[in-house]
Amino acid sequence: MSAIIEAHSLSKWFGEVMAINNLDLVIEPGVTGLLGPNGAGKSTFIKLALGLHGPSRGEVRVLGQPPRNNMGVLRRIGYCPEIDNFYDNTTGFEFVYWLNRYWGMGARAAAVKAEEACEMVRMTGRMHDPIEEYSKGMRQRIKIAQALAAHPELLFLDEPMNGLDPQGRDEMYSLIQQLGDAGLSVIVSSHILYEIERITDSVVLLYNGALIAQGRVRDIRELIDRHPHTIRIESPDPRPLAREFAGDPGIMIVEIERDAVIVRTQDPNGCYQKLNDLMLEGRLPIVSMECSDDSLQAVFDYLTK
Amino acid sequence: MNHDETSALLLRPEARPKRAGYVNAVMGSAAHAVTMIMRRKRFAMAAIIAFMPVLIPLALAFLSKAAFADEGNVIFVRLCEQLHMPVLAPLLALFFASMLVAEDIETQTIPYVLTRPLPRSAWVLGRFLAYLLVATTILGLSITMTFAASATLSKLSLTNTNDLLLLGHYILVALAALTAYGALAVFLGVFTKRPIVYGVLLLYGWQKIAMIIPGVVDFLTISKYVEALYPVLATQRNVVEVQTALGTFQKQIFAVSATRAVVMILLVTAVFLVSSIVAVRRREYGTGRAAGS
């Protein structure tokens, strides 16, 4: 199976900011999650693969060729950017239609392909409405429609779940899975492991512009499970709350701040259950809680130590 | 649509459109740009401003009581040479052409365009053609309506061949002016963040100053070559730019022939457009910013 993307000693810097640092990476066909915290270099990597940026050093090849200003590569790829911007005063259909014209299609072909693409993302019923009236989920679908309209072999989706409500996310997971099942290679970037886990088992982890891991999601998940979860619980009276957790065998460390308790645990489910029970009993006031591991930052810190 | 139907739609490599020709790519870019320009409030505003000169001969014909009023041909020529070419042509260029490329950068829609198999030169040229079509239509109509309005006065007729040739001549000059001014405006849009400000300074500031400075600095203006294209016999020139005797003398010495003026206008247009295309091709437009600019 030949690689769809290959990066060799790839670096990209903007002034003094190193966005991609000496990256060696091979991505095979299929659905691949590009995972990393904000600022990891995911979007820059995608833009290098699309030819929007040129490498500062090294090279990137997409479908066997360098992508920058390469019409042969651009004909075979589709891109759904992270930005939520559209042309003014445009309907969803018109948006896809005009971008088809930029593809070089004639007026009739562009209209037919726009209709097909809108149908693929289930937007036919609303495609003649102004984009300003669309929900976030519908705008995402129209962005994907424009990327699919010319039957690409490789699709880049940059943070497609951003800003979507739970139902919109479910629809997006389902759509991406369908695209993968239909034989498309899809690169999906995200900073949330859970999202990628719902879509694919193949993942690339970027951190500070470098590759730190590549493989199956479950391997990453095991790493996370071995790594203690940190939960911050805000309370006006943190001491009695800390006492409740201190004797629990699943709890590794309990720290007390002025208005909060920080709990590090290897049994997050048990810890959340205990918090639920405490709130139901109503004995101890709890204002809010936050799991700092949600952002993957802790795992990346752990992997890069 | 169920899963199998979606798959069927996607798995059709034969359905992928064939490689597009360059002309098709230019036309696609131009068609979109025309639609975008015409949907903007700026379009209506520019059209209203451009049609204002039409009111002047009408006002003179129906409101003025002056016994020695100018004749229709004098009014028409004066409006063309003092309003349409030096004021309205640069204005339309700044209104429409300066934002042709800059707008996509500002609104962050540029990644959509640049990830299409569309040569960047086709994108810029298509947009420039769209501007030229819209601006020439507006200015051409304005000149034609001014001509018709001036025909309400004496010595200008809607049926006289010479008068109609005069009208055609000024429309062609307008096209030449819009071409050169538009290319400069595209260039400013690509290379500066405030193309309208720099455009106003260059086209309404520098051009006026250069035309009254004695010497040859006026060769560094577009209006020098546009003015060289005015119909010779129709020039009832009350050129306010040439204020000094020395200035008049030197302008006569360094007069430019119409042929050379056309060559210069084409050269200026080519230089600005090619520079813009090279810049757009070399730059890295990730989102809103251009890296390496």
Side-chain angles (χ1 to χ4, degrees):
Chain A
M1 197 180 284
S2 59
I4 49 167
I5 302 178
E6 291 168 85
H8 301 294
S9 308
L10 179 67
S11 295
K12 179 67 189 176
W13 53 82
F14 300 99
E16 292 180 359
V17 178
M18 182 71 95
I20 294 288
N21 187 5
N22 206 26
L23 185 69
D24 283 298
L25 176 65
V26 174
I27 298 179
E28 302 290 344
V31 179
T32 304
L34 201 56
L35 197 61
N38 291 327
K42 303 184 297 291
S43 291
T44 304
F45 176 72
I46 288 177
K47 282 166 188 161
L48 283 161
L50 289 162
L52 287 171
H53 292 322
S56 303
R57 205 170 58 193
E59 68 162 353
V60 60
R61 298 177 83 83
V62 175
L63 302 167
Q65 299 174 55
R68 189 156 165 76
N69 287 323
N70 186 334
M71 301 303 119
V73 172
L74 293 175
R75 287 186 81 244
R76 297 166 66 191
I77 63 180
Y79 172 48
C80 172
E82 183 185 2
I83 49 157
D84 193 35
N85 293 23
F86 300 87
Y87 298 115
D88 292 339
N89 308 317
T90 307
T91 67
F93 171 81
E94 287 172 336
F95 183 68
V96 181
Y97 169 83
W98 284 119
L99 289 173
N100 283 351
R101 295 296 306 274
Y102 282 114
W103 213 94
M105 298 180 205
R108 183 185 288 269
V112 170
K113 293 286 173 201
E115 276 180 13
E116 265 182 28
C118 288
E119 198 179 336
M120 271 190 265
V121 296
R122 297 176 182 80
M123 281 294 292
T124 307
R126 296 288 306 274
M127 68 181 182
H128 293 298
D129 292 346
I131 291 177
E132 286 85 359
E133 294 175 9
Y134 287 177
S135 66
K136 174 80 182 177
M138 291 160 81
R139 292 203 299 274
Q140 287 288 46
R141 277 190 273 163
I142 279 297
K143 275 162 52 182
I144 292 181
Q146 60 79 28
L148 289 174
H151 303 268
E153 292 167 48
L154 171 59
L155 183 64
F156 290 91
L157 304 175
D158 197 356
E159 302 272 2
M161 266 72 78
N162 264 7
L164 293 183
D165 58 22
Q167 191 191 341
R169 278 167 194 257
D170 282 343
E171 286 175 9
M172 191 60 69
Y173 299 143
S174 160
L175 178 64
I176 295 169
Q177 278 163 352
Q178 278 187 34
L179 296 173
D181 292 346
L184 230 75
S185 290
V186 186
I187 308 292
V188 191
S189 78
S190 175
H191 57 279
I192 300 170
L193 178 65
Y194 170 73
E195 289 181 350
I196 296 295
E197 209 170 17
R198 294 279 305 268
I199 300 164
T200 180
D201 192 39
S202 173
V203 70
V204 170
L205 265 79
L206 292 181
Y207 186 71
N208 278 346
L211 176 72
I212 56 167
Q214 183 174 10
R216 295 175 309 166
V217 173
R218 55 177 158 268
D219 298 333
I220 308 297
R221 173 57 75 189
E222 277 172 21
L223 277 174
I224 289 175
D225 289 342
R226 285 210 300 271
H227 184 70
H229 286 234
T230 304
I231 303 168
R232 188 174 190 279
I233 309 151
E234 269 189 44
S235 169
D237 193 9
R239 285 186 178 279
L241 190 62
R243 263 198 302 275
E244 289 287 336
F245 284 103
D248 197 312
I251 304 295
M252 296 169 71
I253 299 169
V254 178
E255 293 169 30
I256 301 174
E257 289 186 350
R258 212 176 69 138
D259 292 322
V261 178
I262 295 170
V263 176
R264 296 186 205 282
T265 176
Q266 280 188 310
D267 177 21
N269 290 337
C271 191
Y272 286 127
Q273 186 57 52
K274 192 177 187 77
L275 271 168
N276 263 345
D277 295 343
L278 286 172
M279 279 189 278
L280 284 173
E281 284 171 22
R283 280 192 295 120
L284 300 169
I286 293 171
V287 177
S288 68
M289 64 174 188
E290 161 189 5
C291 176
S292 63
D293 288 347
D294 276 354
S295 68
L296 270 185
Q297 185 64 47
V299 178
F300 284 103
D301 290 345
Y302 171 72
L303 286 170
T304 50
K305 266 177 195 169
Chain B
M1 187 188 298
N2 64 34
H3 176 234
D4 290 340
E5 285 171 326
T6 307
S7 305
L9 271 177
L10 286 165
L11 284 177
R12 285 191 300 152
E14 77 284 357
R16 185 179 304 146
K18 300 207 164 31
R19 187 180 292 273
Y22 190 83
V23 174
N24 221 8
V26 172
M27 295 314 290
S29 171
H32 184 215
V34 167
T35 311
M36 285 201 305
I37 288 172
M38 292 181 71
R39 284 183 181 178
R40 299 250 156 76
K41 285 180 188 158
R42 199 184 306 160
F43 171 74
M45 197 163 76
I48 289 168
I49 293 170
F51 286 110
M52 281 187 172
V54 179
L55 299 174
I56 295 170
L58 291 177
L60 285 173
F62 298 110
L63 302 176
S64 172
K65 291 180 179 174
F68 304 101
D70 282 326
E71 292 147 344
N73 61 343
V74 176
I75 294 292
F76 173 63
V77 168
R78 195 179 293 167
L79 285 174
C80 281
E81 296 188 7
Q82 292 179 8
L83 263 182
H84 286 100
M85 307 304 167
V87 179
L88 295 179
L91 185 78
L92 291 175
L94 293 178
F95 258 54
F96 297 132
S98 63
M99 296 305 286
L100 285 174
V101 173
E103 197 157 35
D104 269 301
I105 301 168
E106 233 172 57
T107 58
Q108 301 192 355
T109 48
I110 198 163
Y112 291 115
V113 177
L114 298 185
T115 49
R116 255 65 194 162
L118 169 83
R120 296 188 183 191
S121 58
W123 176 51
V124 176
L125 285 179
R127 298 220 153 176
F128 182 73
L129 284 181
Y131 143 77
L132 210 52
L133 177 72
V134 173
T136 307
T137 304
I138 292 175
L139 199 58
L141 276 175
S142 171
I143 292 171
T144 306
M145 288 170 70
T146 305
F147 177 83
S150 302
T152 57
L153 300 162
S154 62
K155 290 201 175 175
L156 196 70
S157 165
L158 292 171
T159 53
N160 181 290
T161 310
N162 285 333
D163 289 347
L164 289 173
L165 283 174
L166 184 71
L167 168 66
H169 193 130
Y170 275 114
I171 290 175
L172 287 176
V173 176
L175 175 64
L178 287 169
T179 306
Y181 287 133
L184 171 63
V186 170
F187 176 85
L188 291 173
V190 170
F191 283 92
T192 70
K193 284 187 177 164
R194 294 188 181 81
I196 294 183
V197 173
Y198 289 113
V200 167
L201 288 175
L202 276 174
L203 299 180
Y204 295 110
W206 163 247
Q207 289 213 128
K208 298 290 175 201
I209 293 168
M211 295 303 277
I212 57 172
I213 295 174
V216 291
V217 285
D218 59 329
F219 277 80
L220 295 174
T221 66
I222 291 171
S223 57
K224 165 89 174 173
Y225 308 105
V226 172
E227 285 184 12
L229 296 176
Y230 291 163
V232 177
L233 294 175
T235 50
Q236 315 290 324
R237 296 198 182 201
N238 298 305
V239 184
V240 289
E241 291 91 329
V242 186
Q243 298 282 343
T244 64
L246 182 59
T248 310
F249 176 67
Q250 295 211 354
K251 298 291 177 253
Q252 284 166 353
I253 287 178
F254 297 110
V256 176
S257 72
T259 314
R260 286 186 180 179
V262 169
V263 171
M264 277 308 294
I265 282 173
L266 291 176
L267 191 67
V268 164
T269 305
V271 167
F272 285 136
L273 282 183
V274 169
S275 309
S276 305
I277 288 168
V278 169
V280 168
R281 199 176 147 78
R282 289 173 64 93
R283 280 187 184 169
E284 299 180 353
Y285 297 100
T287 50
R289 67 182 176 179
S293 54

